[in-house]
mmCIF file of all heavy atoms in Angstrom:
data_model
loop_
_atom_site.group_PDB
_atom_site.id
_atom_site.type_symbol
_atom_site.label_atom_id
_atom_site.label_comp_id
_atom_site.label_asym_id
_atom_site.label_seq_id
_atom_site.Cartn_x
_atom_site.Cartn_y
_atom_site.Cartn_z
ATOM 1 N N PRO X 1 -33.730 80.417 -3.538
ATOM 2 C CA PRO X 1 -34.473 80.556 -4.798
ATOM 3 C C PRO X 1 -34.208 79.459 -5.819
ATOM 4 O O PRO X 1 -34.986 79.303 -6.764
ATOM 5 C CB PRO X 1 -34.025 81.925 -5.328
ATOM 6 C CG PRO X 1 -32.739 82.219 -4.636
ATOM 7 C CD PRO X 1 -32.852 81.585 -3.295
ATOM 8 N N ALA X 2 -33.104 78.702 -5.643
ATOM 9 C CA ALA X 2 -32.818 77.609 -6.581
ATOM 10 C C ALA X 2 -33.434 76.286 -6.136
ATOM 11 O O ALA X 2 -33.162 75.240 -6.728
ATOM 12 C CB ALA X 2 -31.309 77.445 -6.758
ATOM 13 N N THR X 3 -34.269 76.310 -5.101
ATOM 14 C CA THR X 3 -34.986 75.099 -4.679
ATOM 15 C C THR X 3 -35.946 74.674 -5.785
ATOM 16 O O THR X 3 -36.599 75.512 -6.414
ATOM 17 C CB THR X 3 -35.749 75.380 -3.375
ATOM 18 O OG1 THR X 3 -34.818 75.805 -2.366
ATOM 19 C CG2 THR X 3 -36.496 74.157 -2.888
ATOM 20 N N TRP X 4 -36.027 73.363 -6.019
ATOM 21 C CA TRP X 4 -36.846 72.862 -7.130
ATOM 22 C C TRP X 4 -37.410 71.498 -6.756
ATOM 23 O O TRP X 4 -36.781 70.752 -5.992
ATOM 24 C CB TRP X 4 -35.994 72.753 -8.401
ATOM 25 C CG TRP X 4 -36.800 72.532 -9.645
ATOM 26 C CD1 TRP X 4 -37.175 71.336 -10.183
ATOM 27 C CD2 TRP X 4 -37.378 73.529 -10.482
ATOM 28 N NE1 TRP X 4 -37.950 71.530 -11.296
ATOM 29 C CE2 TRP X 4 -38.085 72.878 -11.505
ATOM 30 C CE3 TRP X 4 -37.359 74.930 -10.464
ATOM 31 C CZ2 TRP X 4 -38.776 73.564 -12.501
ATOM 32 C CZ3 TRP X 4 -38.047 75.613 -11.462
ATOM 33 C CH2 TRP X 4 -38.741 74.930 -12.469
ATOM 34 N N PRO X 5 -38.590 71.104 -7.287
ATOM 35 C CA PRO X 5 -39.124 69.774 -6.989
ATOM 36 C C PRO X 5 -38.167 68.664 -7.407
ATOM 37 O O PRO X 5 -37.500 68.748 -8.444
ATOM 38 C CB PRO X 5 -40.422 69.719 -7.807
ATOM 39 C CG PRO X 5 -40.814 71.150 -7.986
ATOM 40 C CD PRO X 5 -39.526 71.904 -8.105
ATOM 41 N N GLY X 6 -38.110 67.619 -6.583
ATOM 42 C CA GLY X 6 -37.295 66.450 -6.889
ATOM 43 C C GLY X 6 -38.155 65.344 -7.465
ATOM 44 O O GLY X 6 -38.627 65.434 -8.597
ATOM 45 N N HIS X 7 -38.430 64.300 -6.671
ATOM 46 C CA HIS X 7 -39.264 63.209 -7.155
ATOM 47 C C HIS X 7 -40.570 63.137 -6.366
ATOM 48 O O HIS X 7 -40.686 63.692 -5.274
ATOM 49 C CB HIS X 7 -38.529 61.861 -7.069
ATOM 50 C CG HIS X 7 -38.210 61.432 -5.668
ATOM 51 N ND1 HIS X 7 -37.047 61.790 -5.010
ATOM 52 C CD2 HIS X 7 -38.909 60.670 -4.788
ATOM 53 C CE1 HIS X 7 -37.039 61.271 -3.797
ATOM 54 N NE2 HIS X 7 -38.153 60.593 -3.633
ATOM 55 N N VAL X 8 -41.533 62.462 -6.951
ATOM 56 C CA VAL X 8 -42.817 62.174 -6.322
ATOM 57 C C VAL X 8 -42.850 60.673 -6.047
ATOM 58 O O VAL X 8 -42.477 59.871 -6.912
ATOM 59 C CB VAL X 8 -43.980 62.585 -7.238
ATOM 60 C CG1 VAL X 8 -45.312 62.144 -6.655
ATOM 61 C CG2 VAL X 8 -43.966 64.095 -7.474
ATOM 62 N N HIS X 9 -43.280 60.294 -4.845
ATOM 63 C CA HIS X 9 -43.321 58.882 -4.460
ATOM 64 C C HIS X 9 -44.779 58.486 -4.246
ATOM 65 O O HIS X 9 -45.484 59.108 -3.434
ATOM 66 C CB HIS X 9 -42.513 58.667 -3.188
ATOM 67 C CG HIS X 9 -42.163 57.242 -2.911
ATOM 68 N ND1 HIS X 9 -41.016 56.870 -2.258
ATOM 69 C CD2 HIS X 9 -42.804 56.079 -3.212
ATOM 70 C CE1 HIS X 9 -40.959 55.550 -2.164
ATOM 71 N NE2 HIS X 9 -42.045 55.053 -2.735
ATOM 72 N N LEU X 10 -45.231 57.475 -4.987
ATOM 73 C CA LEU X 10 -46.614 57.020 -4.926
ATOM 74 C C LEU X 10 -46.702 55.619 -4.343
ATOM 75 O O LEU X 10 -45.865 54.760 -4.636
ATOM 76 C CB LEU X 10 -47.232 56.992 -6.332
ATOM 77 C CG LEU X 10 -47.259 58.289 -7.139
ATOM 78 C CD1 LEU X 10 -47.863 58.021 -8.521
ATOM 79 C CD2 LEU X 10 -48.045 59.374 -6.409
ATOM 80 N N ASN X 11 -47.731 55.385 -3.541
ATOM 81 C CA ASN X 11 -48.117 54.034 -3.155
ATOM 82 C C ASN X 11 -49.051 53.494 -4.227
ATOM 83 O O ASN X 11 -50.031 54.168 -4.594
ATOM 84 C CB ASN X 11 -48.846 54.041 -1.808
ATOM 85 C CG ASN X 11 -47.907 54.315 -0.645
ATOM 86 O OD1 ASN X 11 -46.748 53.910 -0.655
ATOM 87 N ND2 ASN X 11 -48.414 54.996 0.373
ATOM 88 N N VAL X 12 -48.778 52.290 -4.719
ATOM 89 C CA VAL X 12 -49.557 51.734 -5.818
ATOM 90 C C VAL X 12 -50.007 50.319 -5.485
ATOM 91 O O VAL X 12 -49.395 49.631 -4.658
ATOM 92 C CB VAL X 12 -48.760 51.741 -7.141
ATOM 93 C CG1 VAL X 12 -48.337 53.159 -7.507
ATOM 94 C CG2 VAL X 12 -47.546 50.824 -7.064
ATOM 95 N N ALA X 13 -51.061 49.889 -6.142
ATOM 96 C CA ALA X 13 -51.570 48.527 -5.955
ATOM 97 C C ALA X 13 -50.902 47.551 -6.916
ATOM 98 O O ALA X 13 -50.535 46.435 -6.537
ATOM 99 C CB ALA X 13 -53.086 48.505 -6.148
ATOM 100 N N ASP X 14 -50.745 47.960 -8.165
ATOM 101 C CA ASP X 14 -50.205 47.102 -9.219
ATOM 102 C C ASP X 14 -48.880 47.689 -9.693
ATOM 103 O O ASP X 14 -48.854 48.521 -10.600
ATOM 104 C CB ASP X 14 -51.214 47.015 -10.370
ATOM 105 C CG ASP X 14 -50.720 46.153 -11.528
ATOM 106 O OD1 ASP X 14 -49.638 45.539 -11.421
ATOM 107 O OD2 ASP X 14 -51.419 46.117 -12.568
ATOM 108 N N LEU X 15 -47.796 47.262 -9.072
ATOM 109 C CA LEU X 15 -46.496 47.835 -9.403
ATOM 110 C C LEU X 15 -46.119 47.564 -10.850
ATOM 111 O O LEU X 15 -45.659 48.469 -11.560
ATOM 112 C CB LEU X 15 -45.425 47.291 -8.454
ATOM 113 C CG LEU X 15 -44.005 47.836 -8.665
ATOM 114 C CD1 LEU X 15 -43.958 49.345 -8.483
ATOM 115 C CD2 LEU X 15 -43.034 47.153 -7.709
ATOM 116 N N GLU X 16 -46.301 46.335 -11.310
ATOM 117 C CA GLU X 16 -45.935 45.996 -12.690
ATOM 118 C C GLU X 16 -46.741 46.825 -13.681
ATOM 119 O O GLU X 16 -46.195 47.342 -14.666
ATOM 120 C CB GLU X 16 -46.155 44.501 -12.949
ATOM 121 C CG GLU X 16 -45.317 43.572 -12.097
ATOM 122 C CD GLU X 16 -43.833 43.691 -12.383
ATOM 123 O OE1 GLU X 16 -43.475 44.213 -13.453
ATOM 124 O OE2 GLU X 16 -43.042 43.268 -11.526
ATOM 125 N N GLY X 17 -48.035 46.941 -13.441
ATOM 126 C CA GLY X 17 -48.883 47.701 -14.347
ATOM 127 C C GLY X 17 -48.520 49.166 -14.378
ATOM 128 O O GLY X 17 -48.521 49.803 -15.447
ATOM 129 N N GLN X 18 -48.177 49.726 -13.219
ATOM 130 C CA GLN X 18 -47.815 51.138 -13.162
ATOM 131 C C GLN X 18 -46.463 51.394 -13.837
ATOM 132 O O GLN X 18 -46.291 52.394 -14.545
ATOM 133 C CB GLN X 18 -47.783 51.622 -11.712
ATOM 134 C CG GLN X 18 -49.157 51.700 -11.050
ATOM 135 C CD GLN X 18 -49.980 52.854 -11.572
ATOM 136 O OE1 GLN X 18 -50.510 52.790 -12.682
ATOM 137 N NE2 GLN X 18 -50.123 53.897 -10.789
ATOM 138 N N ILE X 19 -45.507 50.514 -13.630
ATOM 139 C CA ILE X 19 -44.220 50.652 -14.317
ATOM 140 C C ILE X 19 -44.444 50.642 -15.828
ATOM 141 O O ILE X 19 -43.903 51.472 -16.568
ATOM 142 C CB ILE X 19 -43.249 49.535 -13.905
ATOM 143 C CG1 ILE X 19 -42.795 49.736 -12.448
ATOM 144 C CG2 ILE X 19 -42.032 49.511 -14.830
ATOM 145 C CD1 ILE X 19 -41.970 48.579 -11.907
ATOM 146 N N SER X 20 -45.249 49.698 -16.293
ATOM 147 C CA SER X 20 -45.519 49.591 -17.729
ATOM 148 C C SER X 20 -46.187 50.858 -18.252
ATOM 149 O O SER X 20 -45.812 51.378 -19.318
ATOM 150 C CB SER X 20 -46.410 48.380 -17.997
ATOM 151 O OG SER X 20 -46.784 48.322 -19.359
ATOM 152 N N PHE X 21 -47.165 51.373 -17.526
ATOM 153 C CA PHE X 21 -47.861 52.589 -17.965
ATOM 154 C C PHE X 21 -46.904 53.767 -18.088
ATOM 155 O O PHE X 21 -46.898 54.468 -19.112
ATOM 156 C CB PHE X 21 -48.979 52.929 -16.980
ATOM 157 C CG PHE X 21 -49.609 54.276 -17.217
ATOM 158 C CD1 PHE X 21 -50.634 54.422 -18.131
ATOM 159 C CD2 PHE X 21 -49.170 55.400 -16.525
ATOM 160 C CE1 PHE X 21 -51.216 55.669 -18.372
ATOM 161 C CE2 PHE X 21 -49.733 56.651 -16.751
ATOM 162 C CZ PHE X 21 -50.753 56.783 -17.680
ATOM 163 N N TYR X 22 -46.101 53.987 -17.078
ATOM 164 C CA TYR X 22 -45.230 55.163 -17.099
ATOM 165 C C TYR X 22 -44.121 55.042 -18.144
ATOM 166 O O TYR X 22 -43.647 56.062 -18.664
ATOM 167 C CB TYR X 22 -44.668 55.438 -15.701
ATOM 168 C CG TYR X 22 -45.684 56.128 -14.817
ATOM 169 C CD1 TYR X 22 -46.409 55.428 -13.864
ATOM 170 C CD2 TYR X 22 -45.939 57.480 -14.972
ATOM 171 C CE1 TYR X 22 -47.354 56.064 -13.069
ATOM 172 C CE2 TYR X 22 -46.887 58.127 -14.191
ATOM 173 C CZ TYR X 22 -47.589 57.411 -13.243
ATOM 174 O OH TYR X 22 -48.546 58.057 -12.475
ATOM 175 N N GLN X 23 -43.742 53.826 -18.490
ATOM 176 C CA GLN X 23 -42.779 53.651 -19.576
ATOM 177 C C GLN X 23 -43.449 53.792 -20.941
ATOM 178 O O GLN X 23 -43.001 54.562 -21.783
ATOM 179 C CB GLN X 23 -42.119 52.269 -19.463
ATOM 180 C CG GLN X 23 -41.137 52.117 -18.326
ATOM 181 C CD GLN X 23 -40.509 50.731 -18.308
ATOM 182 O OE1 GLN X 23 -41.161 49.740 -18.004
ATOM 183 N NE2 GLN X 23 -39.242 50.655 -18.652
ATOM 184 N N ARG X 24 -44.500 53.023 -21.160
ATOM 185 C CA ARG X 24 -45.107 52.925 -22.485
ATOM 186 C C ARG X 24 -45.917 54.167 -22.849
ATOM 187 O O ARG X 24 -45.860 54.645 -23.987
ATOM 188 C CB ARG X 24 -46.017 51.690 -22.529
ATOM 189 C CG ARG X 24 -46.686 51.413 -23.876
ATOM 190 C CD ARG X 24 -47.481 50.128 -23.820
ATOM 191 N NE ARG X 24 -48.585 50.232 -22.882
ATOM 192 C CZ ARG X 24 -49.821 50.630 -23.214
ATOM 193 N NH1 ARG X 24 -50.089 50.964 -24.471
ATOM 194 N NH2 ARG X 24 -50.776 50.696 -22.319
ATOM 195 N N VAL X 25 -46.653 54.709 -21.893
ATOM 196 C CA VAL X 25 -47.568 55.813 -22.175
ATOM 197 C C VAL X 25 -46.918 57.174 -21.947
ATOM 198 O O VAL X 25 -46.999 58.064 -22.796
ATOM 199 C CB VAL X 25 -48.851 55.675 -21.328
ATOM 200 C CG1 VAL X 25 -49.781 56.864 -21.549
ATOM 201 C CG2 VAL X 25 -49.566 54.365 -21.679
ATOM 202 N N ILE X 26 -46.255 57.349 -20.811
ATOM 203 C CA ILE X 26 -45.674 58.644 -20.478
ATOM 204 C C ILE X 26 -44.296 58.824 -21.109
ATOM 205 O O ILE X 26 -43.930 59.919 -21.532
ATOM 206 C CB ILE X 26 -45.601 58.843 -18.951
ATOM 207 C CG1 ILE X 26 -47.005 58.729 -18.340
ATOM 208 C CG2 ILE X 26 -44.969 60.190 -18.603
ATOM 209 C CD1 ILE X 26 -47.991 59.755 -18.857
ATOM 210 N N GLY X 27 -43.509 57.755 -21.174
ATOM 211 C CA GLY X 27 -42.181 57.861 -21.780
ATOM 212 C C GLY X 27 -41.045 57.924 -20.782
ATOM 213 O O GLY X 27 -39.916 58.300 -21.145
ATOM 214 N N LEU X 28 -41.303 57.571 -19.515
ATOM 215 C CA LEU X 28 -40.234 57.500 -18.534
ATOM 216 C C LEU X 28 -39.426 56.216 -18.707
ATOM 217 O O LEU X 28 -39.903 55.246 -19.292
ATOM 218 C CB LEU X 28 -40.800 57.569 -17.109
ATOM 219 C CG LEU X 28 -41.513 58.871 -16.712
ATOM 220 C CD1 LEU X 28 -42.058 58.762 -15.295
ATOM 221 C CD2 LEU X 28 -40.567 60.062 -16.820
ATOM 222 N N GLN X 29 -38.229 56.217 -18.181
ATOM 223 C CA GLN X 29 -37.370 55.035 -18.205
ATOM 224 C C GLN X 29 -37.324 54.422 -16.813
ATOM 225 O O GLN X 29 -37.374 55.144 -15.804
ATOM 226 C CB GLN X 29 -35.953 55.418 -18.620
ATOM 227 C CG GLN X 29 -35.837 56.125 -19.954
ATOM 228 C CD GLN X 29 -34.454 56.689 -20.171
ATOM 229 O OE1 GLN X 29 -33.444 56.047 -19.874
ATOM 230 N NE2 GLN X 29 -34.381 57.918 -20.668
#
């Protein structure tokens, strides 16, 4: 019952752009 989601792994085309989006827009580090 203590099982919980870990991470999600995505295949992306523009790695730099996606890193920037998730930092600037979503607030991830």
Side-chain angles (χ1 to χ4, degrees):
T3 302
W4 192 270
H7 65 272
V8 174
H9 196 149
L10 302 178
N11 288 326
V12 301
D14 179 5
L15 181 60
E16 298 295 341
Q18 290 287 76
I19 290 173
S20 175
F21 171 85
Y22 281 101
Q23 288 181 290
R24 182 176 64 91
V25 177
I26 302 299
L28 296 178
Q29 303 170 42

